[in-house]
């Protein structure tokens, strides 16, 4: 067993070199000042160019300003001209500066239930790492999948996708990322010395997790939302229960997981066939103390999340109680959690939610939907489904997937009726395609992975765009072949 994994929770194996984030380690290459200035000027030019275009009649002035601001922010995020956390704060400030939102509305989403839930989920990852459970998890993964890169990564991709159908994709990502990063560090792969192998694993985990979130009603808020919108649209004529939803959606997650693995492997093909012997682990002692206590609390937490419909407790309430359970008996100190927390990822997610909310309130989202989706009129069913899916994915890349579902279905469902297409198919395609995103800021799992510093925004775009386009193809073909077989169309 390697030095990096030769410890147990009892003898405090934790070493600063194993931590997910190191405050003293650069997360991105340093850029020359001239390069930064050029990128910032380019972002300003893009935003100003959009703002100077004539305002369409069906686009409110606030929506026009927002589209200009979002374009500039995306250029800054993608180019990494300044730290993405700072850009995120500037995004919310821009909403106020340009009169798009009042200060309260611009900053309030940073403390929305979804953002606070993600904050606590990421804290769970810190707890897992600190008490040694992440290390134990990786031991069992190695025991089942071995250390061959292909087999191990395929196992992790399938596992992340399947787990994300039940648990929040951010939870799955945090657990797997915290388990994988110490392995990379044991190989000498740090954010400053990344490689295709590190990028492959660290990008594969969030993409596989994000892709599986549509599999059951438990996988994400967009799933019950799509069912509810469909039920309201059909005035109660179509009702979809938990098991029926599972039968309709879950089988589609299998090809999605396989294609996710294949695309990430093809783009970041590692030269290593086998992980070195230095990462292999000796058999760990039985769990006790902090590990056992945290495991029990985790199990109770997952049970309460699963039965939240019965208890009526919001997921964030359960998460807060779990943190009290971790810190109360001193399994871990809250100061340690705060010290190790990747705050930048949380701030960026908050900004994404803020911009997404403004897309709804300013009318910009409605304008885009009403302008672009009618272009699909008269096209074949495949093109219509793919086009609707692509639009949903693009929106989901800059706003929460639930908001993207809420924004698109009121437009696409009437379209489906006019085109004599199945409203059921259009409604349940929406939570699938909004699971595929093209930008790091698109969902919590990718933000969490980015916070490790092992890949750049351009690295992510290089894989995320073809991944998204390919998974849309897989999803549409699955919808058009599998659903008729089970009588759902």
């Amino acid at each position: 067993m390697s030095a990096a994994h030769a410890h147990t929770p009892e003898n405090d194996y934790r070493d600063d070199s194993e931590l997910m984030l190191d405050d003293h380690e650069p997360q991105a290459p340093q850029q020359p000042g001239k390069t930064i200035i050029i990128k910032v000027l380019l972002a300003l030019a893009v935003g100003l160019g959009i703002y100077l275009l004539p305002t369409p009649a069906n686009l409110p002035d606030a929506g026009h300003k927002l589209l200009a601001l979002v374009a500039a922010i995306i250029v800054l995020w993608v180019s990494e001209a300044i730290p993405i956390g700072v850009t995120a704060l500037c995004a919310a400030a821009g909403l106020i500066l340009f009169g798009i939102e009042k200060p309260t509305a611009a900053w309030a989403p940073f403390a929305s239930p979804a953002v606070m839930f993600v904050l606590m989920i990421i804290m769970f990852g810190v707890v897992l790492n600190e008490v040694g459970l992440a290390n134990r998890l990786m031991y069992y993964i190695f025991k089942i999948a071995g250390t061959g890169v292909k087999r191990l990564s395929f196992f992790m991709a399938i596992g992340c996708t399947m787990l994300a159908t039940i648990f929040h994709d951010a939870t799955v990502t945090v657990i797997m990322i915290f388990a994988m990063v110490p392995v990379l560090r044991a190989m000498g792969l740090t954010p400053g010395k990344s490689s295709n192998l590190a990028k492959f694993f660290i990008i594969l985990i969030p993409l596989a997790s994000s892709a599986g979130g549509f599999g059951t009603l438990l996988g994400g808020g967009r799933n019950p939302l799509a069912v509810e919108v469909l039920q309201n649209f059909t005035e109660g004529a179509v009702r979809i229960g938990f098991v029926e939803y599972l039968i309709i959606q879950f089988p589609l997650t299998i090809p999605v997981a396989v294609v996710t693995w294949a695309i990430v492997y093809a783009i970041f093909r590692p030269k290593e066939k086998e992980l070195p012997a230095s990462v292999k682990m000796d058999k760990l002692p039985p769990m006790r103390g902090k590990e056992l206590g945290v495991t029990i609390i985790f199990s109770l937490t997952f049970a309460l999340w699963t039965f939240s419909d019965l208890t009526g407790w919001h997921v964030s309430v359960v998460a807060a109680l779990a943190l009290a359970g971790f810190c109360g008996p001193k399994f871990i100190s809250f100061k340690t959690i705060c010290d190790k927390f990747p705050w930048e990822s949380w701030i960026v997610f908050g900004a994404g939610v803020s911009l997404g909310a403004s897309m709804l309130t300013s009318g910009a989202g409605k304008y885009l939907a009403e302008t672009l989706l009618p272009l699909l009129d008269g096209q074949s069913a495949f093109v219509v489904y793919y086009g609707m899916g692509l639009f949903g994915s693009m929106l989901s890349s800059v706003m929460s997937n639930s908001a993207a579902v809420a924004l698109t279905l009121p437009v696409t469902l009437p379209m489906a009726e006019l085109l004599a297409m199945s409203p059921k198919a259009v409604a349940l395609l929406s939570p699938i395609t909004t699971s595929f995103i093209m930008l790091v800021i698109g969902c919590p799992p990718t933000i969490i992975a980015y916070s490790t510093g092992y890949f750049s925004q351009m690295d992510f775009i290089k894989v995320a765009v073809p991944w998204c386009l390919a998974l849309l193809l897989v999803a549409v073909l699955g919808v058009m072949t599998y659903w008729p077989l089970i009588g759902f169309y």
Side-chain angles (χ1 to χ4, degrees):
M1 184 173 182
S2 73
H5 295 82
H7 313 278
T8 67
E10 286 69 30
N11 61 12
D12 193 14
Y13 70 91
R14 287 168 280 117
D15 183 296
D16 283 346
S17 65
E18 292 186 355
L19 298 175
M20 178 180 173
L21 295 175
D22 187 333
D23 294 338
H24 304 291
E25 192 152 23
Q27 295 184 30
Q30 295 292 323
Q31 302 180 68
K34 184 178 177 181
T35 302
I36 295 174
I37 292 173
I38 291 173
K39 289 178 176 178
V40 171
L41 290 176
L42 175 64
L44 293 175
V46 169
L48 187 61
I50 292 177
Y51 180 68
L52 292 178
L53 292 174
T55 305
N58 58 339
L59 177 62
D61 184 55
H64 191 178
K65 291 178 181 177
L66 177 65
L67 292 179
L69 176 64
V70 168
I73 293 298
I74 288 177
V75 173
L76 288 175
W77 265 331
V78 173
S79 65
E80 299 175 307
I82 54 179
I84 64 170
V86 178
T87 302
L89 294 174
C90 290
L95 293 175
I96 303 167
L97 179 65
F98 300 118
I100 302 169
E101 297 285 0
K102 293 181 178 179
T104 303
W107 294 114
F110 282 75
S112 69
V115 176
M116 293 307 296
F117 175 62
V118 167
L119 176 144
M120 289 181 273
I121 286 293
I122 298 176
M123 287 182 171
F124 279 22
V126 177
V127 175
L128 279 173
N129 185 65
E130 291 298 301
V131 302
L133 279 174
N135 211 32
R136 186 174 293 276
L137 174 65
M138 207 63 215
Y139 167 77
Y140 286 113
I141 291 176
F142 281 156
K143 187 175 180 180
I144 297 171
T147 53
V149 171
K150 271 188 180 179
R151 180 175 174 178
L152 173 64
S153 58
F154 187 80
F155 176 84
M156 292 178 73
I158 299 294
C160 286
T161 300
M162 295 300 106
L163 287 173
T165 65
I166 304 172
F167 304 119
H168 196 287
D169 51 10
T171 309
V172 178
T173 299
V174 164
I175 292 172
M176 298 304 293
I177 287 284
F178 269 84
M180 193 65 208
V181 165
V183 174
L184 298 177
R185 289 186 179 274
M187 296 172 61
L189 298 175
T190 62
K193 297 178 182 177
S194 190
S195 70
N196 269 13
L197 179 72
K199 292 175 183 177
F200 169 57
F201 275 107
I202 298 299
I203 292 179
L204 176 66
I205 289 170
L207 291 188
S209 301
S210 177
F214 67 88
T216 74
L217 285 174
L218 299 174
R222 60 195 179 284
N223 306 335
L225 176 62
V227 170
E228 181 182 344
V229 173
L230 174 63
Q231 181 177 319
N232 292 336
F233 179 75
T234 59
E235 297 180 343
V238 177
R239 295 176 181 270
I240 297 176
F242 183 91
V243 175
E244 185 182 6
Y245 184 95
L246 186 148
I247 294 172
I248 294 167
Q249 302 285 57
F250 185 82
L252 297 175
T253 63
I254 298 172
V256 162
V258 174
V259 173
T260 296
W261 174 83
I263 289 178
V264 182
Y265 185 83
I267 293 178
F268 289 110
R269 190 183 186 94
K271 64 180 181 182
E272 297 86 349
K273 304 295 181 188
E274 186 89 16
L275 296 183
S278 59
V279 305
K280 293 181 180 176
M281 305 176 186
D282 295 331
K283 186 177 180 180
L284 298 175
M287 279 196 296
R288 58 182 181 178
K290 296 176 180 178
E291 266 194 305
L292 186 58
V294 169
T295 299
I296 292 172
I297 293 172
F298 259 118
S299 302
L300 292 173
T301 302
F302 288 138
L304 287 172
W305 278 337
T306 303
F307 298 108
S308 58
D309 286 345
L310 296 176
T311 63
W313 292 2
H314 189 267
V315 289
S316 60
V317 174
V318 178
L321 292 175
L323 285 170
F326 298 145
C327 299
K330 307 295 183 187
F331 295 147
I332 184 172
S333 74
F334 190 63
K335 183 178 185 305
T336 299
I337 294 176
C338 292
D339 287 345
K340 306 300 181 186
F341 188 86
W343 291 101
E344 186 177 55
S345 63
W346 179 68
I347 292 172
V348 172
F349 183 59
V353 174
S354 181
L355 290 175
S358 195
M359 287 282 282
L360 291 172
T361 58
S362 70
K366 184 180 179 184
Y367 163 76
L368 291 175
E370 291 178 345
T371 302
L372 298 178
L373 290 174
L375 298 177
L376 299 173
D377 189 12
Q379 304 296 323
S380 67
F382 174 83
V383 173
V384 172
Y385 284 135
Y386 195 92
M388 287 179 176
L390 180 60
F391 183 72
S393 294
M394 291 173 65
L395 277 184
S396 192
S397 297
V398 293
M399 61 197 303
S400 77
N401 41 36
S402 293
V405 169
L407 182 65
T408 55
L409 283 185
V411 179
T412 56
L413 285 176
M415 275 184 61
E417 201 168 50
L418 290 174
L419 297 174
M421 300 177 71
S422 166
K424 293 189 294 184
V426 169
L428 290 203
L429 178 66
S430 185
I432 300 175
T433 57
T434 51
S435 300
F436 315 144
I437 45 90
M438 301 183 190
L439 298 174
V440 164
I441 60 170
C443 64
T446 50
I447 289 290
I448 293 166
Y450 179 77
S451 296
T452 65
Y454 277 96
F455 61 88
S456 68
Q457 296 249 17
M458 288 309 298
D459 287 330
F460 184 80
I461 290 175
K462 187 168 69 174
V463 68
V465 172
W467 169 76
C468 179
L469 298 177
L471 259 59
L472 286 174
L473 179 63
V474 171
V476 172
L477 292 176
V479 164
M480 298 184 72
T481 54
Y482 171 64
W483 286 357
L485 291 176
I486 60 173
F488 180 79
Y489 212 63

